[in-house]
Amino acid sequence: MAGSLTAGTKTIHVHGSQAGQTIGQGGTGKDMHIAALELQRMSATNGLRLGSGTGGGVSADGIELAHSNYLEPLVTLAALSDNSLVTFATTSSTFHTLAAQADNGVAVQVDVTATTGSLYLDGDYDNSSSEDDTNDVQFADTVSVTAETVLTLESTTGTLVPAAKLTLTAGAGVVIHDDMTTTGTNKPLVIDADFESEGDGTLTVETGKTVTSNKSDVTITAWDVDMAGSLTAGTLSIKVHGAQAAQTIGIGSSLSQNMEILDAELGRLTAEAGLTVGTPVGGEIQVKGVTDGSSDSVGTITLVATRDATAVAFLDAASVFGNGLIVQAMGGVFLSESVTTQNMPTVIYAGTGTLKTLASRSLVSTNQLLTLTADDVDFQGDAVSSGTAATIITVLSTGNTIGVGGITSTNMDFGASEVGAVSTSGGLTIGSAAVSGSITVVGVLKANSNDITSTVTLLATVDDSTITFATTSST
């Protein structure tokens, strides 16, 4: 086509004249070949549809935005006759908005991008496996698929199959309608459902469907998650990040946060190497009513809220973590409800803030090492217990002083009643090498230390630091 073709406000439909006739656009020659520059000479403000219910396969090779620029809002590639497929091959392709619909699979061998709208890949348009060999949506290694708005993947009787590393990026949500299983191992799956950080991108995995990364790390960035289905990283890890700086996250029961990972959704995640939620630029993380049955489907859970003055809070209902817990906050960690951890060590880092437990609440690591780092502690609750394992309590800021017992003039005031809340037969260490400054002990009674049944170690090794027992005897 040396000239041009315009449909104005209508649609351009291009069909083969024979049943099973294939169509290639760009650099791939088929029965019908539409060169990239020929495509560029087509114009329609109601889009372009290539292929039909009787035609064969449709392919795209090296379609640049300049080539598809005058075909809005949607380009549809339709390979709907039995055993026909849509292929993106050789060189990446770009469209304003794209729908690829095939009877027998979509093969994504190169990067595919929709720059202004959605991108929809359907590898089983007739929702039937009859007389079809594949019905899968297949992705080659290191492929990236990007949509300005919503990215949707579907293959009703088939599977979504990344060969290895796959990156899915969307501005307003990623929707996975069917099972996804990565072929290779140790090949990351990266999903960004809100890459423009507009606060409207949700990762959705449909009910009853499973995303399996085959022992590969999974990284999710989103405004929210809707995990009606399940996601498994096998022996490796899952990381969940908010899409915006200061975005808040709720885990467990509903807490009306920007992102919510409900307890049932948590139970549909599997990652033996652990689950990390939050980032150093994210907002507050709130936790309510996480259950043992849900949290033990992943390894150690790590909560990250290390933006300045940002806290992690455990609220309203007690939580249980089946494989330990790591909390990293810069603005404090607050337990207004009890937290119990099991089977793996627990590390709580409250940053320059305070680690606080409210009255009648407890922090229990169930015979596992318990490490607490904060510039101050405020234990009002019943117990801080590591059982038969050790407890370590130390300051964050190098050189900060610690007072134990009846002294309140130090950076960390670990009062006598707070000492009394600690229960351990594995030993208590106060301070840490090369970090904590001078330690002063005043008037710790036997009743205060009675539940610490092994050695108490005081560490103050910063230059010129001292350990002083002052004013009133201690036991």
Side-chain angles (χ1 to χ4, degrees), residues 148-165:
E148 177 70 15
T149 58
V150 179
L151 171 59
T152 303
L153 305 178
E154 179 176 0
S155 194
T156 304
T157 66
T159 307
L160 311 172
V161 187
K165 180 182 178 180

Side-chain angles (χ1 to χ4, degrees), residues 112-323:
V112 181
T113 302
T115 60
T116 60
S118 62
L119 198 157
Y120 173 56
L121 302 179
D122 184 355
D124 184 23
Y125 182 77
D126 64 351
N127 300 325
S128 170
S129 60
S130 176
E131 300 184 21
D132 298 330
D133 298 328
T134 305
N135 281 337
D136 296 338
V137 178
Q138 300 178 343
F139 303 91
D141 186 16
T142 70
V143 156
S144 293
V145 181
T146 303
E148 177 70 15
T149 58
V150 179
L151 171 59
T152 303
L153 305 178
E154 179 176 0
S155 194
T156 304
T157 66
T159 307
L160 311 172
V161 187
K165 180 182 178 180
L166 174 64
T167 301
L168 304 175
T169 304
V174 174
V175 180
I176 299 175
H177 281 298
D178 295 295
D179 292 336
M180 174 184 286
T181 302
T182 302
T183 302
T185 59
N186 200 25
K187 301 294 183 179
L189 173 61
V190 179
I191 302 174
D192 187 344
D194 193 10
F195 79 92
E196 290 190 321
S197 301
E198 294 291 336
D200 58 357
T202 296
L203 169 62
T204 301
V205 179
E206 291 289 349
T207 302
K209 306 305 178 182
T210 300
V211 175
T212 303
S213 70
N214 194 14
K215 301 177 183 178
S216 301
D217 290 323
V218 179
T219 301
I220 297 166
T221 303
W223 180 251
D224 201 3
V225 293
D226 182 1
M227 195 61 58
S230 58
L231 170 63
T232 175
T235 56
L236 292 188
S237 67
I238 297 172
K239 296 179 181 178
V240 181
H241 302 160
Q244 291 185 354
Q247 178 177 337
T248 60
I249 299 175
I251 304 173
S253 300
S254 179
L255 286 159
S256 299
Q257 300 303 294
N258 299 141
M259 176 188 288
E260 301 235 317
I261 303 173
L262 299 178
D263 187 62
E265 293 177 315
L266 179 63
R268 299 185 191 111
L269 305 179
T270 303
E272 293 180 21
L275 168 67
T276 298
V277 179
T279 68
V281 298
E284 182 172 287
I285 298 176
Q286 297 183 356
V287 183
K288 174 184 176 182
V290 170
T291 63
D292 183 20
S294 293
S295 64
D296 68 3
S297 65
V298 295
T300 300
I301 293 176
T302 301
L303 308 179
V304 181
T306 51
R307 183 185 177 95
D308 285 349
T310 302
V312 174
F314 296 85
L315 306 171
D316 298 338
S319 290
V320 180
F321 296 87
N323 291 300

Side-chain angles (χ1 to χ4, degrees), residues 56-59 78-81 83-87 101-107 134:
V58 179
S59 64
L80 307 183
S81 64
N83 262 341
S84 295
L85 56 87
V86 173
T87 304
Q101 302 166 339
D103 175 72
N104 191 39
V106 176
T134 305

